[in-house]
Amino acid sequence: MSATPAAVRMDVTVSDVTIPVPGQEQVRAWLVTGDDAGRPRSAVLWLHWLGHLHNDRSEFLPLAVELAPRGVVSLLPAGHFPWVPDPDGTGDDVARVRAQVDAHAATLDFLLDQPDLDPIRVALVGHDYGGMYAALLAERDERVTALALQACDAAWADWFATYWLRLGGAALVDYAARFAGLDPVEHVGRLGGRVLFQWAGKDTFVSEATRAAYAAANPRARSLLYDDAEHQLGDRAAVDLVGFLAEQLGLDP
């Protein structure tokens, strides 16, 4: 791992770090910290979306900077699949999903190795594909104590088949079966009421059926629908997300 200070804003430092992952390329990430060494701090791992704006680790950077003075240490890693390689419709796609979860697990390890962290105040936030990976990682790693998912699909095959592979019928059924046990909607129950779902009412990528599937998978989760928002969500969702994190992590006012 290496770290180079990239920017300082008031009492907030943003460092550009590289994180080793066994058997994979290292991950680039931003580590965001406040000037509060020596007191217990909370941690948030932010997993970004695949979209037309801030389609990289910068998506949640403003929120990470906002929360740093309140005692939050944030890590914002770059996603790899499907941001870099495209799905190809083979079993390699399943391996790539598993590898990306492993990479995010390595970034969570790095985050939780930072000094003065309170081990019972650890949140995971993800949007779109980032949310799908967040669901898998939050169930896999019991150190995660709160989870927020924004506008994510229920199954890997859905978006892969629709936007890259153009699969339908039996071909789609066969492809979807490859991801058995990996679909994120199956992995959102562990934290019960410490989960937030955020949905866009004008989302052209996430259906009402997908929202219902997540609600059924975790009836105790808090679910917020922004009627006039599109898939990117917006400022109101950001305010509610910060409020959820403040509540779950016991943040300073």
Side-chain angles (χ1 to χ4, degrees), residues 77-120:
H80 180 69
F81 180 69
W83 290 267
V84 180
D86 291 341
D88 63 11
T90 72
D92 289 344
D93 291 342
V94 179
R96 292 184 185 109
V97 167
R98 294 187 185 278
Q100 183 65 81
V101 177
D102 289 343
H104 285 321
T107 66
L108 181 61
D109 289 340
F110 173 85
L111 173 61
L112 297 185
D113 280 343
Q114 301 308 303
D116 303 317
L117 289 186
D118 185 341
I120 64 170

Side-chain angles (χ1 to χ4, degrees), residues 87 93 129 155-168 171-172 175-176 179:
D93 291 342
Y129 278 113
W156 296 104
D158 291 349
W159 282 344
F160 290 167
T162 300
Y163 299 107
W164 280 279
L165 306 173
R166 311 298 182 188
L167 297 179
L172 175 57
Y175 180 64
F179 294 93

Side-chain angles (χ1 to χ4, degrees), residues 36-172:
D36 54 3
R39 67 166 179 166
R41 301 183 290 180
S42 56
V44 179
L45 181 67
W46 308 80
L47 304 183
H48 65 82
W49 78 328
L50 194 163
H52 61 280
L53 182 65
H54 300 303
N55 176 40
D56 53 35
R57 54 182 170 148
S58 70
E59 181 188 3
F60 290 113
L61 184 58
L63 293 184
V65 170
E66 175 186 339
L67 289 171
R70 300 176 68 180
V72 175
V73 178
S74 289
L75 190 70
L76 301 93
H80 180 69
F81 180 69
W83 290 267
V84 180
D86 291 341
D88 63 11
T90 72
D92 289 344
D93 291 342
V94 179
R96 292 184 185 109
V97 167
R98 294 187 185 278
Q100 183 65 81
V101 177
D102 289 343
H104 285 321
T107 66
L108 181 61
D109 289 340
F110 173 85
L111 173 61
L112 297 185
D113 280 343
Q114 301 308 303
D116 303 317
L117 289 186
D118 185 341
I120 64 170
R121 295 192 294 147
V122 179
L124 197 49
V125 177
H127 181 195
D128 183 88
Y129 278 113
M132 296 170 76
Y133 284 116
L136 295 178
L137 182 55
E139 183 171 86
R140 165 173 160 174
D141 196 318
E142 294 190 354
R143 296 174 298 178
V144 177
T145 60
L147 173 67
L149 304 183
Q150 296 184 319
C152 52
D153 207 346
W156 296 104
D158 291 349
W159 282 344
F160 290 167
T162 300
Y163 299 107
W164 280 279
L165 306 173
R166 311 298 182 188
L167 297 179
L172 175 57

